[in-house]
Amino acid sequence: MPILSVRHRTVYRYRRPVSFGEHRIMIRPRDSYDQRLIEASLDIDPAPATLRWMFDVFGNCVAVATFDTRAETLTFDGRITLEHTPEHAPVFPLAPHAVLYPFGYGVEDMPDLSRSIERAWPDPRHEVDAWARSFLPAEGRILTQDLLAAMTRRIRATFTYVARSEKGVQDPLTTLRTKRGSCRDFAVLMMEAVRALGMAARFVSGYLYNPGNDRGRHVGGGSTHAWVQVYLPGAGWVEFDPTNGIVGNRDLIRVAVARAPAQALPLQGSFFGLSSDDLGMIVEVDVTESADDNVHGLAGNAAPPLR
């Protein structure tokens, strides 16, 4: 069980001192059986007038900061240490009725899963539908795990990853037609494809551990990362990272889950000034394995656009 450390630093720069509106920070990982938060801190400069913590509707931990000063820079510096339990060869204990696709969800689950099954993007010519169904056999049924793994790895093998600094998410039809996109674009395409097959899927934001920044192993490091969870009866919410072809949680540090990407922004806020005052931002994310395996205890305190 490796101990991973995350340094996430965001600096907003302005031409002259500006004042700031409320900022919401979502960089504290979710505690779970496969990742245990050991320590977390959040430093903000200039210091906020108030800083409070809350859980959003999805159970994500959010810090809310307000400010009463003006400045030319605004810095958020988060540091996290956690114990991570990777699943190198995940075998999901699916319920017997869900081992083969198609399957159905139980009536007790549908009220909670229905919004995660609904399509969120228009597909007038059913292009995403057709792409999703291309993974199905001409006759008979397919192992559910094989279906989802094939979709995850097809994106990794045949699509080109590009880091995008633009806000928001690319239309999944654009991603499908161009076969290019960022991690959040690939996540949204896979979510829509999975939903087209009647399965519940949700968006995940977090961090990617890539030892030595090895692009032969993973792409998408150096900033926040995005992937997908699919709800499978008997296994629950299972991780799929189409950017890197990862099935399971290996090298993935989960921070926030949401029905849509806009609900899982690591950092969002506003400033008061002219648009020309905005000089952009600097984002630094570094994920390393800690040499100190004796770090124990629980945390105190603890985002840029997804790339």
Side-chain angles (χ1 to χ4, degrees):
M1 292 182 288
I3 304 297
L4 300 181
S5 296
V6 181
R7 170 83 183 278
H8 182 166
R9 183 172 180 266
T10 302
V11 181
Y12 293 99
R13 300 179 300 116
Y14 302 94
R15 192 178 306 278
R16 60 189 177 90
V18 299
S19 56
F20 306 105
E22 181 181 274
H23 280 65
R24 294 169 61 91
I25 308 104
M26 198 185 304
I27 63 174
R28 182 185 177 109
R30 296 170 65 101
D31 273 306
S32 183
Y33 65 91
D34 59 352
Q35 58 178 42
R36 184 179 70 88
L37 188 60
I38 297 172
E39 190 174 15
S41 65
L42 174 63
D43 294 320
I44 304 174
D45 185 26
T50 64
L51 180 66
R52 62 185 177 89
W53 295 88
M54 59 172 283
F55 290 104
D56 69 6
V57 68
F58 302 105
N60 303 312
C61 190
V62 183
V64 182
T66 64
F67 300 87
D68 59 3
T69 187
R70 301 169 67 88
E72 293 181 352
T73 61
L74 177 59
T75 302
F76 297 87
D77 193 349
R79 297 173 185 265
I80 299 154
T81 304
L82 76 161
E83 184 180 75
H84 188 265
T85 306
E87 298 171 334
H88 290 287
V91 177
F92 309 129
L94 299 183
H97 76 278
V99 171
L100 295 174
Y101 176 87
F103 64 87
Y105 294 117
V107 294
E108 68 278 6
D109 293 327
M110 281 303 295
D112 299 303
L113 295 176
S114 59
R115 294 303 306 276
S116 295
I117 301 174
E118 291 178 5
R119 302 283 294 275
W121 295 80
D123 185 18
R125 298 181 180 177
H126 304 286
E127 295 171 68
V128 174
D129 286 339
W131 184 76
R133 296 189 180 282
S134 72
F135 294 92
L136 303 180
E139 296 182 1
R141 302 171 74 187
I142 183 174
L143 289 169
T144 301
Q145 183 169 336
D146 288 353
L147 165 62
L148 294 169
M151 186 180 294
T152 304
R153 291 165 181 157
R154 176 78 61 82
I155 293 174
R156 167 60 168 158
T158 63
F159 287 59
T160 301
Y161 169 80
V162 290
R164 293 196 304 106
S165 59
E166 299 90 345
K167 294 181 180 180
V169 177
Q170 189 168 268
D171 186 313
L173 287 175
T174 300
T175 304
L176 181 60
R177 291 166 182 168
T178 63
K179 289 186 166 47
R180 295 172 60 86
S182 67
C183 62
R184 65 186 187 273
D185 301 326
F186 295 158
V188 167
L189 171 61
M190 183 165 177
M191 279 202 316
E192 288 293 287
V194 167
R195 290 169 174 174
L197 297 177
M199 288 181 275
R202 63 187 186 184
F203 187 88
V204 189
S205 70
Y207 303 110
L208 175 70
Y209 174 50
N210 190 15
N213 293 317
D214 180 5
R215 290 186 63 85
R217 174 167 174 167
H218 296 321
V219 295
S223 186
T224 48
H225 192 54
W227 61 96
V228 181
Q229 286 183 340
V230 180
Y231 189 79
L232 300 175
W237 291 103
V238 179
E239 322 276 339
F240 297 90
D241 176 10
T243 302
N244 294 294
I246 298 173
V247 177
N249 74 334
R250 180 174 53 88
D251 296 336
L252 301 174
I253 301 172
R254 190 183 318 108
V255 171
V257 298
R259 184 166 37 83
Q263 298 168 310
L265 295 177
L267 179 59
Q268 55 182 318
S270 60
F271 76 94
F272 300 101
L274 301 175
S275 58
S276 59
D277 292 334
D278 185 2
L279 298 179
M281 68 180 180
I282 299 170
V283 179
E284 299 170 346
V285 173
D286 189 28
V287 183
T288 58
E289 184 169 353
S290 175
D292 184 3
D293 292 333
N294 298 314
V295 181
H296 294 288
L298 286 178
N301 292 342
L306 292 168
R307 292 261 170 99

